[in-house]
């Protein structure tokens, strides 16, 4: 079924203990659409500046991503993010953010995208997310991401989006802040009471946990002895989840669990190299192989 | 099979957001022996002062714990620890430590304990751990715990213990420090290369992970919406693991995984109330019920 992502397309500058990359393809919508393209056809809505390299557009197009919602602003500059990871690399330190066209333009949703059934509203100002959410009349499962800025300072707007989405994906610190409870399990239930039936929490090296219709399920991360760049881990996790859901068309608790395994596998590949480099060569066969290894890793024998 | 624990017996003063308790029964060997007593008969070696309340001795004895290795030092004062937890309660802030008899006396190992097959060397000075370890000629599986103090300042002594034990259980920060790698997965492999075939890492609310003979396995924590006091979580986790192993007598990777589920369940009960209060009334039926719930919680349907 159709899968739409609305979010940022960026040029990222990243430093990790393993190296540095300047102005590489980034942004939540890029990571998400490239990741999900391994599962299903993806529609992308985002905005770029005149300076956005044609090679990145070509790469996205080569993944069979529908770019009719990618709006280039003449004379505008593309959103830029610069960050670094140190030590455990469990969180990015933002060095610089240049919103550029992202701060000034809300990209139009193409008419032919309005029938999308699976939708990810990537991290954005809540008002922008709500504007999209309310137009998605054919939605079967609409999930939102968010960040601390909106949780801390735009809570009213955020609550209006929470009231209309089916799910939210966010990291554990954000979940504690949004739920207003230092206990993550309790915070997840409180977030769900704000609207979304499904609350999906990303915990980096500690895996992920979901609350959906009264039930919890958790997964450890795939064990990796080397992580070169965590950028996009959360977005590719969401991509695996939503890509799998859209490819199967079914949103049950059982299918959400299956989807989380694919999200975990996709994110584990993504962090093996800088930016989207690992996903450029990744195949569905790679995913299926590591999926099988992950299932073996999870086997506990207590059934 | 026989299960021996050598470690601290303490009087703890604990503050959490849910209340405060003064001079309650604590110490790694207390938590471990009470927890493991739900699985098998436990032998305890530890030292207490003249001030140690008789009611605590009676409680331990009531759990069928063999106290012939519990040495009371006339005129001595019992080890005391005071700590508090705030916010997420993911780590204790130590307010005061009075080593007292623990700093001056190495309790003798009763002759009839020398045939112990399963042994936990709870956190102690490496020299003390080595002294016990070398006398355990009948051991089938000997696991050690440790802490940052020994990792940072007594590394040579620690390495001598690591060279003789079969396993080590420690938390994730300790594992990164001991392994000398900020990547936990890599750190675990490096610790194993120092001696112990089995490296078991406790991650609190994030569960646990094991490395044993080249393979990894991880479990999330049991999801709890309320944690009143995390004290003893790690010791009761180890108690469930070692108690289950000793009760079955088998140390294979498959059985270590089964044991981790019991450790997780036991620790999840322990943190529901202050100190050992929850374990005072806990039954094997309670453990089996939550074990079944935990297995259900882990079910992902991808097999």
């Amino acid at each position: 079924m159709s899968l739409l992502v609305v979010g940022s397309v960026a040029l990222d500058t990243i430093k990790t203990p393993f190296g540095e990359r300047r102005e590489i393809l980034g942004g939540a919508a890029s990571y998400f659409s490239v990741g999900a393209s391994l599962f299903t056809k993806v529609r992308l809505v985002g905005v770029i500046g005149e300076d956005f390299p044609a090679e990145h557009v070509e790469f996205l197009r080569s993944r069979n991503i529908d770019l009719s919602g990618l709006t280039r602003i003449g004379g505008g500059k593309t959103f830029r993010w610069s960050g670094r990871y140190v030590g455990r690399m469990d969180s990015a330190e933002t060095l610089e953010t240049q919103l550029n066209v992202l701060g000034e333009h809300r990209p139009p949703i193409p008419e032919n995208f309005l029938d999308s059934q699976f939708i990810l509203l990537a991290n954005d100002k809540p008002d922008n997310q709500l504007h999209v959410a309310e137009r998605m009349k054919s939605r079967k499962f609409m999930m939102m991401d968010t960040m601390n800025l909106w949780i801390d300072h735009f809570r009213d707007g955020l609550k209006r989006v929470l009231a209309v989405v089916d799910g939210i994906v966010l990291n554990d610190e954000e979940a504690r802040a949004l739920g207003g409870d230092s206990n993550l399990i309790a915070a997840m239930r409180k977030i769900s009471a704000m609207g979304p039936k499904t609350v999906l929490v990303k915990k980096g090296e500690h895996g992920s946990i979901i609350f959906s219709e009264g039930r919890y399920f958790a997964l450890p991360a795939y064990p990796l002895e080397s992580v070169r760049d965590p950028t996009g881990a959360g977005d590719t996790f969401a991509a695996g989840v939503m890509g799998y859901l859209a490819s199967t068309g079914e949103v049950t608790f059982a299918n959400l669990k299956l989807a989380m395994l694919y999200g975990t596998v996709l994110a584990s590949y993504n962090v093996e190299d800088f930016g989207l480099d690992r996903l450029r060569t990744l195949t569905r066969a790679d995913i299926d192989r590591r999926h099988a290894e992950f299932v073996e890793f999870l086997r506990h024998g207590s059934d």
Side-chain angles (χ1 to χ4, degrees), chain A:
Chain A
M1 290 186 174
S2 52
L3 173 58
L4 169 68
V5 57
V6 182
S8 63
V9 176
L11 295 173
D12 284 352
T13 295
I14 300 163
K15 286 183 203 181
T16 86
F18 300 91
E20 183 174 349
R21 296 292 185 279
R22 302 195 67 79
E23 305 232 326
I24 59 175
L25 176 59
S30 305
Y31 281 102
F32 182 91
S33 58
V34 171
S37 74
L38 286 150
F39 295 87
T40 191
K41 186 160 171 61
V42 185
R43 298 164 167 181
L44 187 158
V45 168
V47 59
I48 53 177
E50 198 168 307
D51 58 348
F52 191 73
E55 65 184 271
H56 295 335
V57 177
E58 280 319 301
F59 168 57
L60 294 172
R61 202 185 310 276
S62 76
R63 303 307 290 251
N64 201 22
I65 298 164
D66 186 334
L67 299 178
S68 41
L70 183 65
T71 302
R72 189 186 285 269
I73 307 294
K77 279 190 74 182
T78 301
F79 168 51
R80 278 165 173 79
W81 177 80
S82 169
R84 71 173 168 196
Y85 303 84
V86 296
R88 287 173 53 180
M89 305 200 290
D90 52 348
S91 62
E93 179 192 346
T94 292
L95 299 173
E96 194 184 5
T97 300
Q98 295 178 23
L99 283 180
N100 299 330
V101 294
L102 203 63
E104 301 144 19
H105 298 272
R106 188 159 68 187
I109 315 290
E111 284 295 320
N112 62 318
F113 282 8
L114 293 180
D115 64 354
S116 298
Q117 292 168 296
F118 288 80
I119 301 131
L120 183 84
L121 305 172
N123 173 38
D124 197 353
K125 197 173 169 178
D127 284 355
N128 291 351
Q129 291 181 313
L130 188 63
H131 177 78
V132 177
E134 287 177 336
R135 300 185 67 194
M136 293 295 139
K137 304 296 187 194
S138 302
R139 66 176 180 261
K140 186 163 170 139
F141 187 70
M142 181 162 60
M143 189 148 72
M144 68 181 294
D145 194 350
T146 190
M147 70 184 290
N148 272 325
L149 174 65
W150 319 122
I151 294 168
D152 296 341
H153 303 294
F154 293 74
R155 190 168 281 247
D156 288 346
L158 190 55
K159 285 198 167 171
R160 283 191 289 273
V161 194
L162 284 165
V164 298
V165 297
D166 306 296
I168 181 169
V169 57
L170 70 181
N171 72 37
D172 58 330
E173 285 314 312
E174 292 160 352
R176 287 180 229 269
L178 178 55
D181 200 309
S182 55
N183 179 299
L184 179 62
I185 307 300
M188 292 172 73
R189 189 186 287 276
K190 289 177 180 177
I191 293 168
S192 187
M194 298 173 191
K197 268 191 194 173
T198 297
V199 178
L200 182 53
V201 174
K202 309 167 285 185
K203 305 197 295 178
E205 66 164 333
H206 299 304
S208 58
I209 180 164
I210 193 170
F211 176 80
S212 190
E213 301 181 58
R215 287 169 299 183
Y216 293 91
F217 168 70
L219 279 178
Y222 182 84
L224 283 178
E225 294 189 50
S226 171
V227 170
R228 287 168 63 81
D229 174 16
T231 310
D235 298 319
T236 50
F237 173 74
V241 171
M242 293 294 283
Y244 180 78
L245 290 178
S247 75
T248 56
E250 196 193 326
V251 189
T252 58
F253 190 55
N255 214 41
L256 281 163
K257 295 199 275 190
L258 298 178
M260 284 168 68
L261 272 88
Y262 283 102
T264 302
V265 166
L266 196 61
S268 77
Y269 275 119
N270 188 66
V271 300
E272 287 184 350
D273 209 344
F274 276 85
L276 276 157
D277 282 0
R278 184 65 188 90
L279 262 52
R280 285 177 192 269
T281 57
L282 192 71
T283 65
R284 182 60 201 242
D286 293 328
I287 291 175
D288 291 340
R289 191 178 60 251
R290 183 167 289 181
H291 180 273
E293 290 164 0
F294 190 44
V295 168
E296 188 55 37
F297 164 74
L298 295 174
R299 202 177 298 282
H300 53 77
S302 305
D303 296 87

